[in-house]
Amino acid sequence: VVLGTTACSGGDEGGGGSGGEVTVGAILSMSGVYSTLGPPEKNAIEMGVAELNKSGFTVAGKKHTMKFIYADDKSEFATTGVAALRQMIQVDKVPLVAFGVGSSGYAPQLERNPIPMVNILDSTYPSILDYSPHIYLMRGDSTTYVAGCVDYAKTKLNAKSVGIINTKGEPYSEGLTQLVQKYAGEQGVTVSSTADVALGSTDYGSGISKVLSSKPDVVYLSSVTSVILPVLKQLRQAGWTGPVMHSSGVNPDQAKAILGDQYNDLMKDNFDCAGTLPTTSDSEKARTFAKDYQEYYNEYPQDLTMWAYDLPFVVADAMSKAGSVSDREKIEKALPEIGVPSGTVSGWLPSTDGKLFTKRDARTLSEITVWCQNSKTIASAMVFDGLGGKVANAKYRDNA
């Protein structure tokens, strides 16, 4: 399960000199239904570690470097993921574990063996932070971007109704569905129909037929990239030519790989509501990261790649604040006290007192991207602050 080798953390004593290499764990979905998430997260973490280690980081007067060991949860959190967490806590004795998804599966383990866990991506509603006080989230939860989806549908697409295709039994999907229903009600948009499709199914015809028969102005697809793109394909094949919205973070490489040669036509009038992308960011640091990532890995960087890249800097600052590279309790207490670390690229929105985490949640702006057929890629259509499920400081790009 665990990829890589294990190294002991350096000591915490002061006095200058080298403190050695600190080992941190990461449990990512490298295979299975969430496999569009794990590989880019790992790539970006490794980029961040390499940059951090150029100068290292100081804890209690000693200079350290960092490395990660990785485990593939195979998108099976309650079994493979839990086994990996036990290995990292009890055998590898890492001081902190990062992970991509699966908070509900790990929470019981944290009751028995507390360790700070930093989540890169899992914005499932209700919040994953409710599962355990030991979990920290490096992105705004789904309330911060789904409200913008409904706002954009109403304001820019002139939608009076939305049909929702929900992936039953998939937590992220069901949370998104609840939020679209909630914000549609608040903004005066009618939910014409909500239809369930089965996770792992290959035939979505009945759900598609149910939604299309309700004659919506917009169709919203709930779930992650690997799930919604096959639904999108069958939706278009069923004759739907109108706008499609989702919150999956689809990038052009994934669209081409999953949808095949017809991807450019299938992606027409697609609108994605999620975190801001480094490629479309106004930040020079984010755009530089995007360029470097794309050149190094030959793949399009997603929002999650920024958060994953920043992860090593966040861990390093927490250890420096704690004065320890091995004391889990001290490191966990230090996490909510750190500010925005230097070297990060995500464009963090700090709390009113300058802290990175607000109630264990770090936030960036949210964004809606639109598919551009001429260039076969995505562009930014709207950037906004979605704190509290309200759209604030919205910047629209009418000719994205």
Side-chain angles (χ1 to χ4, degrees):
V1 173
V2 177
L3 309 178
T5 57
T6 303
C8 295
S9 298
D12 298 336
E13 296 80 4
S18 174
E21 187 176 61
V22 180
T23 301
V24 177
I27 304 173
L28 307 176
S29 299
M30 305 300 292
S31 57
V33 69
Y34 299 109
S35 61
T36 55
L37 308 176
E41 288 170 335
K42 182 175 184 289
N43 288 343
I45 290 171
E46 287 300 297
M47 275 187 69
V49 166
E51 187 63 28
L52 174 70
N53 287 344
K54 286 180 180 179
S55 56
F57 62 102
T58 301
V59 179
K62 289 189 175 183
K63 187 65 68 76
H64 296 266
T65 57
M66 187 180 295
K67 70 173 288 185
F68 276 74
I69 55 172
Y70 298 93
D72 177 11
D73 60 33
K74 301 181 181 179
S75 301
E76 297 172 358
F77 320 116
T79 53
T80 308
V82 166
L85 180 59
R86 287 173 179 159
Q87 165 81 17
M88 289 182 174
I89 292 175
Q90 299 172 11
V91 180
D92 302 321
K93 299 188 183 302
V94 297
L96 180 146
V97 176
F99 67 113
V101 285
S103 304
S104 61
Y106 301 137
Q109 302 300 316
L110 299 180
E111 292 298 311
R112 292 187 285 272
N113 295 289
I115 188 172
M117 290 191 78
V118 180
N119 184 277
I120 301 166
L121 180 69
D122 194 351
S123 57
T124 299
Y125 176 82
S127 174
I128 66 165
L129 299 175
D130 295 341
Y131 287 119
S132 171
H134 303 293
I135 294 176
Y136 290 74
L137 177 59
M138 286 189 61
R139 66 164 300 170
D141 66 27
S142 46
T143 61
T144 63
Y145 51 86
V146 176
C149 223
V150 177
D151 177 90
Y152 192 88
K154 179 181 178 180
T155 305
K156 294 300 179 181
L157 302 180
N158 299 314
K160 294 180 174 58
S161 63
V162 56
I164 305 170
I165 299 179
N166 172 64
T167 307
K168 190 170 180 58
E170 201 275 295
Y172 181 58
S173 175
E174 297 200 338
L176 291 175
T177 296
Q178 292 178 49
L179 288 175
V180 174
Q181 292 168 336
K182 168 182 165 63
Y183 295 132
E186 292 178 358
Q187 299 187 37
V189 176
T190 300
V191 176
S192 62
S193 178
T194 300
D196 291 334
V197 297
L199 182 65
S201 174
T202 57
D203 183 0
Y204 313 104
S206 61
I208 290 171
S209 296
K210 179 181 177 182
V211 165
L212 294 188
S213 66
S214 69
K215 301 187 183 306
D217 295 322
V218 172
V219 175
Y220 184 91
L221 306 180
S222 296
S223 198
V224 295
T225 298
S226 61
V227 176
I228 68 104
L229 286 182
V231 179
L232 169 66
K233 188 172 187 176
Q234 292 187 25
L235 179 67
R236 294 300 193 200
Q237 291 170 342
W240 177 253
T241 58
V244 176
M245 305 192 87
H246 40 86
S247 302
S248 60
V250 176
N251 70 41
D253 296 336
Q254 294 167 335
K256 185 176 182 179
I258 296 174
L259 295 175
D261 294 339
Q262 295 178 306
Y263 78 101
N264 194 33
D265 292 331
L266 295 171
M267 288 293 291
K268 181 183 178 183
D269 289 328
N270 262 252
F271 300 87
D272 204 332
C273 325
T276 51
L277 291 173
T279 50
T280 60
S281 175
D282 292 332
S283 164
E284 184 177 349
K285 288 196 299 184
R287 292 195 305 272
T288 298
F289 160 74
K291 180 175 179 292
D292 292 343
Y293 182 94
Q294 200 154 10
E295 287 181 355
Y296 196 82
Y297 294 112
N298 193 32
E299 67 180 25
Y300 194 97
Q302 306 169 61
D303 51 7
L304 61 87
T305 56
M306 288 194 303
W307 307 320
Y309 175 88
D310 286 353
L311 172 67
F313 297 93
V314 171
V315 176
D317 270 27
M319 289 177 172
S320 295
K321 186 83 173 177
S324 174
V325 297
S326 58
D327 190 314
R328 295 168 180 171
E329 185 175 357
K330 287 182 179 180
I331 293 168
E332 183 171 337
K333 287 181 177 179
L335 276 168
E337 298 301 318
I338 65 172
V340 176
S342 61
T344 57
V345 301
S346 297
W348 299 107
L349 301 175
S351 65
T352 53
D353 57 354
K355 300 296 194 293
L356 173 65
F357 291 99
T358 303
K359 297 180 179 177
R360 293 184 286 123
D361 188 8
R363 294 192 307 112
T364 60
L365 291 172
S366 298
E367 182 174 41
I368 295 175
T369 57
V370 58
W371 184 262
C372 304
Q373 280 195 296
N374 288 343
S375 53
K376 299 181 181 180
T377 191
I378 49 183
S380 180
M382 174 186 175
V383 176
F384 62 98
D385 185 350
L387 180 62
K390 306 295 182 183
V391 177
N393 303 320
K395 295 181 181 179
Y396 299 96
R397 295 181 173 94
D398 291 327
N399 191 23

